[in-house]
Amino acid sequence: MKAYHGLVSVVLLTLVAAQDPAQFVNPFIGTQNGGHVFPGATLPWGSVKPGADSRSGDNQAGFVSDGTPITGISQLHDDGTGGSSSLGQFALLPLTHTECANNDLTRCTVDHSERALGHGDPVASPGYFSIPLNNGVQAEVTVTEHTALHRFTYKAGTDQLLLLLDVTSDLAYRYQGDGKVTVSPNSKTHGTRITGTGRWIPSFGQNTYQAYFCFDAPRTFAHAKYYETSAGKQTYTDLEQSAEFEKDVQRSAPAGVLLAFAPEKDGRTLEVRMGVSWTSAEKACAYAEEEIPDISAFDGVHAAARAKWNQVLGAIEVDATGVSDDTQQLFWTSLYRTEPYWDSFYCIWDTFRVVHPLYAITAPTAQAQIIRALIDIYAHTGWLPDCRMSLDKGFTQGGSNADSLLADSFVKGLKEGFGIDWEKGFEAMVKDATVMGDFEVEGRGSVNSRAKLGFIPANDNDHPPSGGANTRSASRLLEYAYNDFDIALVAQGLGKKPETAHYFNKSNDWFNIWNPDAEHSGFKGFIQPKKADGGWFFDSRYDHGDVFRPDHCSPVFGHNDCYGGWGGGEFYEASSWEYSFYVPHDMASLVVAMGGPDTFSSRLDHFFEAGFHDMGDEPGFLPTYLYNYVGQPAKTVDRVDAMVAMYYNTSVNGLPGNDDSGSMGAYAVWSHLGFYPVAGQDTYLLNRPYFPKVTFRNEVTGSVAIIIASGLSAENKYIQSATLNGEKYTKNWISHDLFTYGGTLELVMGSSKDSKWGTGEGDLPPSLSTGGFGCLACVSPLKGGGAGSSGTSGAESGGAVSGGGGVENAPNKGWQRGCG
Ligand SMILES: *[C@@H]1O[C@H](CO)[C@@H](O)[C@H](O)[C@H]1NC(C)=O
Ligand SMILES: *[C@@H]1O[C@H](CO)[C@@H](O)[C@H](O)[C@H]1NC(C)=O
């Protein structure tokens, strides 16, 4: 792979004024049915994410389209997460004399769960969220990077504009104390400033975090009260406009402020500014003053936010001739949801596959900053994270997939000029592979047992230092093997020959838990956990009579058995049926192990048709494209089309699972673009575009990549032939060169599934054992190339072992549900 050749200057984006992709963004897609999508206002990668919070069991991201009442408009959220509800601090709730009789501030209901108000239909678009509350107040909000600007419009004739500011509640009721509230006059705004902070437990991580806000109302209040709640009862302190007030807030006394403003001129509107920071209240105030000096400039701030979104979304341009509005809405909304997140890695296990590879094309500068942040986290904490949110360590899901995230950008040329210390990055990856950290939250587990055995035994004694669950032995080994392949790719690029050979070799370890004799549903050969003595492991809870059940954890059998924590079993959030397809660096060997191309292809068909595939979780993405590895790209087209049609739509329930920081959306984006990243390597598998023409502008090199699908129609959706920069192109995959250097890939579409395009041996995507990735010395583990013995047969290995991993012994880690 060639590098950027020192092309370091950031080329200004050529804005295409005519395109307004923001018009196609519908932030409510996925706000029901477990999508957990955040529909509030945010900038791309912005820190502040204000939106309404529903009093709903499904409010991981705040608002849910299920009609449940609203507890407030809070300032911080995550998108699409599993686990418990995330963030939700510093809620504002506009009140009237209906909720506070006689406008008496001591008579409003302040309790987070009891104060909720019914509402009408909300409206949202990039950078804007609005909801009519049943007390007659319209709540609107728009944003800059760290500052939310709220506008509340009360009913005509309202005599007092009341507002509640909740300092200590979050969505999951995890306030831990160390709160503080200050109220003071602000001479700059001729109004009232309130600052505050608190400490909370993160939704999928360890320890606690502190967050800060800075509230400004540019007018003096008529009256106001500070409230604290103790044993269900409120105590109130009168506040005076000209006096300073300061109060520490204990864990036992959650608190907030109630404000009453007299109506001014036009009477009904109240605009307030809310800065946030993860470091201090001073910082929150500085952000707020710098980003929104004029609190009355709501419409201007909103217009700027939308323009920023159009600029970022404009990295991709589509010709939508003949494409329905619905398809455009699905595409742009999905792209929109992949861009707002970056201060939460929630979690890399979900996002490394589809979100970060997208940034490598649409936003390489942001992606380089993300990598620098990850390497900094390694420098400060000792290991790379899988999950990290609100400055806390989050729970690891499977492999050390930060390795694959880093390698993906490395092989795509994010090197010279991006300020990334790749030697340090490589050091971090090697540490993952060689030094066991607290696998619960960083690096890898079972490093020592794997070094000894070549696999991770079920019920491994090599526990994380924190005493966390050392389960998922089979899926982790597959992921670690692929992570090792990625370490090799970076070693290779840095000219480190011994490390390259070592880690390419380690990537064969998947074969050490390949049981060629395991049989299920008409197919033979599965990934199966092993015991430390080399015998096959049977889980007494599911594998009755020592019949291994590779469909366990799939939608048809024990779907919810396989999350993190004790009792989660040996596969994480997917079945052996699905994980047995996960050898992205050496699919050629896997095809042989499964019995050759025809069996592989019919096995894939069966996998989907028998219900073993799970589109609602990220390991289910790549299998939909795997027909390309046996030269059947037309079947990939059919499979991907079926997935998009079956699992995605533009309604509030239009996602197959948790969005996971835009991951579900990113699958839809790639599918519509016509190619899909094998994350962690420079391979994109081709399906077919949903648009006749797609254009990508590289913000760094200025290069323009164009994919044309000529003759595309509902029937003409199979590639018949192709040219790349005018030359005949028969491979069913492309590399990142198209996006680094620019160029044109022209696909000639037709209705025939029998075209020879992409079907030849030389057209297949790269595999290590067939000389791919520049590894001429690599041999298939099937030929004894490094991997250990294929283990003893199931019959020999005896009864199931349950060891210390039983559910009944599980310490309650509070995260039995997975993140992804
Ligand atoms: C939209 O997709 C969801 C999730 O896959 C599905 O449950 C729902 O039935 C679909 N709705 C429509 C109208 O197709
Ligand atoms: C590859 O790994 C196997 C098994 O661990 C080992 O026996 C072999 O020497 C290794 N080969 C290289 C080139 O590192």
Side-chain angles (χ1 to χ4, degrees):
M1 171 73 208
K2 290 157 272 179
Y4 269 98
H5 296 308
L7 253 175
V8 296
S9 62
V10 173
V11 179
L12 280 183
L13 270 179
T14 318
L15 284 182
V16 187
Q19 288 227 340
D20 176 31
Q23 71 182 292
F24 293 108
V25 173
N26 172 0
F28 294 105
I29 296 176
T31 52
Q32 214 200 64
N33 198 28
H36 299 169
V37 160
F38 165 68
T42 179
L43 282 191
W45 303 292
S47 269
V48 71
K49 298 181 184 80
D53 295 327
S54 301
R55 196 182 63 197
S56 163
D58 229 11
N59 69 354
Q60 273 79 353
F63 185 77
V64 189
S65 290
D66 63 359
T68 49
I70 299 301
T71 55
I73 322 291
S74 69
Q75 319 306 318
L76 298 169
H77 293 95
D78 277 306
D79 170 72
T81 64
S84 58
S85 301
S86 205
L87 305 169
Q89 279 86 353
F90 315 136
L92 295 170
L93 187 65
L95 301 170
T96 68
H97 63 250
T98 312
E99 295 82 46
C100 314
N102 301 325
N103 296 322
D104 178 349
L105 294 179
T106 67
R107 298 178 70 175
C108 330
T109 304
V110 297
D111 180 82
H112 188 270
S113 55
E114 287 170 27
R115 70 190 183 213
L117 300 174
H119 65 87
D121 289 341
V123 172
S125 58
Y128 177 80
F129 182 91
S130 164
I131 189 162
L133 298 170
N134 279 2
N135 62 5
V137 183
Q138 182 81 29
E140 296 171 279
V141 64
T142 185
V143 281
T144 54
E145 290 281 327
H146 311 85
T147 312
L149 190 57
H150 296 263
R151 179 161 71 189
F152 301 107
T153 306
Y154 294 71
K155 263 196 303 209
T158 303
D159 51 351
Q160 297 262 299
L161 315 183
L162 310 182
L163 186 64
L164 176 148
L165 162 55
D166 189 330
V167 176
T168 55
S169 299
D170 63 335
L171 285 169
Y173 305 109
R174 291 178 156 196
Y175 176 57
Q176 300 298 301
D178 290 342
K180 187 176 183 127
V181 180
T182 74
V183 184
S184 56
N186 181 349
S187 57
K188 279 187 216 153
T189 62
H190 307 291
T192 299
R193 167 164 288 182
I194 304 174
T195 69
T197 182
R199 195 158 55 78
W200 293 269
I201 294 173
S203 56
F204 197 68
Q206 283 182 339
N207 296 322
T208 58
Y209 63 94
Q210 198 96 25
Y212 303 83
F213 73 87
C214 178
F215 165 99
D216 273 302
R219 57 209 270 190
T220 51
F221 54 75
H223 52 280
K225 288 182 195 300
Y226 166 81
Y227 70 86
E228 267 187 21
T229 307
S230 188
K233 275 216 156 81
Q234 273 80 44
T235 53
Y236 298 90
T237 310
D238 279 326
L239 302 174
E240 284 174 47
Q241 178 60 45
S242 55
E244 308 265 344
F245 171 85
E246 187 174 318
K247 185 82 170 60
D248 289 332
V249 188
Q250 304 310 318
R251 181 177 182 181
S252 55
V257 178
L258 288 153
L259 299 148
F261 297 92
E264 281 184 351
K265 293 166 274 173
D266 69 332
R268 309 198 285 138
T269 14
L270 177 62
E271 283 156 332
V272 299
R273 181 178 70 188
M274 190 71 138
V276 296
S277 162
W278 298 98
T279 48
S280 70
E282 291 68 36
K283 195 95 191 160
C285 295
Y287 284 140
E289 287 175 5
E290 188 191 320
E291 294 173 9
I292 306 182
D294 179 3
I295 298 177
S296 67
F298 190 96
D299 296 335
V301 172
H302 174 199
R306 189 182 176 100
K308 178 78 190 164
W309 272 110
N310 273 333
Q311 182 194 337
V312 169
L313 296 170
I316 301 179
E317 201 183 303
V318 299
D319 173 357
T321 309
V323 178
S324 72
D325 273 10
D326 220 39
T327 295
Q328 292 191 68
Q329 204 185 101
L330 179 58
F331 173 75
W332 288 112
T333 303
S334 301
L335 182 63
Y336 164 80
R337 286 204 317 277
T338 67
E339 314 266 354
Y341 301 95
W342 107 313
D343 40 10
S344 282
F345 292 110
Y346 202 155
C347 300
I348 289 173
W349 184 87
D350 304 288
T351 58
F352 87 95
R353 304 162 208 260
V354 279
V355 173
H356 293 281
L358 196 53
Y359 296 166
I361 293 178
T362 62
T365 306
Q367 175 62 9
Q369 288 171 349
I370 287 167
I371 287 175
R372 287 165 57 172
L374 284 171
I375 294 174
D376 277 351
I377 291 167
Y378 158 70
H380 288 279
T381 71
W383 278 272
L384 291 167
D386 176 38
C387 284
R388 191 174 170 86
M389 68 275 305
S390 36
L391 307 183
D392 284 320
K393 292 177 179 179
F395 299 123
T396 305
Q397 302 199 77
S400 57
N401 288 305
D403 303 339
S404 295
L405 188 162
L406 262 57
D408 189 81
S409 290
F410 182 86
V411 298
K412 290 171 183 171
L414 270 67
K415 292 185 230 173
E416 292 87 355
F418 284 97
I420 300 170
D421 183 347
W422 276 113
E423 285 293 339
K424 193 109 191 141
F426 181 70
E427 182 187 303
M429 296 164 87
V430 168
K431 186 157 180 200
D432 278 347
T434 54
V435 184
M436 193 162 105
D438 183 355
F439 152 65
E440 187 94 322
V441 289
E442 62 202 0
R444 294 185 194 177
S446 308
V447 167
N448 304 318
S449 39
R450 180 178 164 213
K452 201 166 79 195
L453 300 167
F455 62 90
I456 301 170
N459 295 318
D460 191 12
N461 289 326
D462 212 358
H463 289 301
S466 65
N470 204 358
T471 53
R472 298 154 273 169
S473 66
S475 55
R476 279 195 292 127
L477 179 67
L478 292 177
E479 295 190 14
Y480 293 158
Y482 188 63
N483 299 149
D484 283 345
F485 161 80
D486 274 325
I487 299 177
L489 287 186
V490 175
Q492 188 182 46
L494 294 174
K496 299 176 189 296
K497 291 207 170 115
E499 290 91 338
T500 308
H502 174 76
Y503 286 103
F504 273 150
N505 194 24
K506 290 301 290 172
S507 76
N508 278 340
D509 275 2
W510 67 272
F511 192 65
N512 292 339
I513 58 165
W514 179 261
N515 183 352
D517 301 320
E519 213 168 336
H520 185 257
S521 206
F523 291 89
K524 224 175 143 183
F526 284 92
I527 291 293
Q528 184 174 344
K530 253 187 191 174
K531 299 186 292 183
D533 67 7
W536 295 112
F537 172 80
F538 295 87
D539 191 320
S540 59
R541 293 170 294 176
Y542 325 110
D543 302 328
H544 299 302
D546 288 358
V547 177
F548 175 55
R549 289 288 301 263
D551 56 341
H552 182 237
C553 312
S554 81
V556 297
F557 178 44
H559 197 197
N560 293 320
D561 292 345
C562 307
Y563 297 113
W566 289 101
E570 304 310 316
F571 294 88
Y572 184 69
E573 295 198 3
S575 61
S576 169
W577 256 97
E578 194 157 295
Y579 275 111
S580 292
F581 285 110
Y582 193 63
V583 190
H585 51 301
D586 196 8
M587 291 302 295
S589 291
L590 182 68
V591 168
V592 172
M594 285 188 170
D598 291 345
T599 312
F600 181 90
S601 178
S602 51
R603 181 167 172 162
L604 262 182
D605 291 345
H606 187 69
F607 166 63
F608 291 104
E609 284 151 18
F612 304 144
H613 172 250
D614 181 6
M615 194 57 201
D617 214 331
E618 286 71 12
F621 291 172
L622 183 55
T624 62
Y625 282 81
L626 291 181
Y627 295 101
N628 285 30
Y629 283 95
V630 287
Q632 300 182 354
K635 280 180 88 169
T636 293
V637 169
D638 284 340
R639 188 61 65 192
V640 173
D641 280 2
M643 293 299 131
V644 173
M646 202 182 320
Y647 294 109
Y648 289 87
N649 55 55
T650 53
S651 63
V652 290
N653 63 6
L655 284 186
N658 299 160
D659 193 34
D660 289 327
S661 306
S663 300
M664 283 295 143
Y667 177 89
V669 172
W670 290 107
S671 302
H672 282 64
L673 292 175
F675 58 105
Y676 182 85
V678 186
Q681 54 181 268
D682 187 9
T683 307
Y684 298 104
L685 307 174
L686 292 167
N687 58 319
R688 59 95 175 194
Y690 281 48
F691 301 98
K693 183 175 171 193
V694 192
T695 305
F696 305 84
R697 289 166 204 284
N698 188 312
E699 65 180 350
V700 177
T701 64
S703 66
V704 176
I706 299 172
I707 298 181
I708 295 169
S710 55
L712 177 73
S713 71
E715 300 76 39
N716 294 345
K717 60 178 191 173
Y718 305 101
I719 301 173
Q720 307 295 307
S721 66
T723 58
L724 180 60
N725 299 328
E727 308 264 317
K728 185 174 176 201
Y729 194 80
T730 62
K731 293 182 169 66
N732 64 36
W733 62 284
I734 55 173
S735 81
H736 194 72
D737 282 3
L738 179 61
F739 308 102
T740 302
Y741 304 109
T744 302
L745 176 68
E746 178 157 11
L747 310 169
V748 177
M749 311 304 290
S751 60
S752 168
K753 292 190 194 190
D754 300 322
S755 105
K756 288 276 160 280
W757 177 86
T759 61
E761 192 134 343
D763 302 333
L764 307 185
S767 281
L768 266 184
S769 62
T770 51
F773 310 107
C775 187
L776 299 173
C778 289
V779 283
S780 169
L782 281 64
K783 299 187 181 122
S789 85
S790 60
T792 50
S793 77
E796 268 176 68
S797 58
V801 175
S802 66
V807 182
E808 57 285 357
N809 298 329
N812 183 9
K813 307 299 283 185
W815 58 291
Q816 293 295 320
R817 282 193 60 78
C819 162

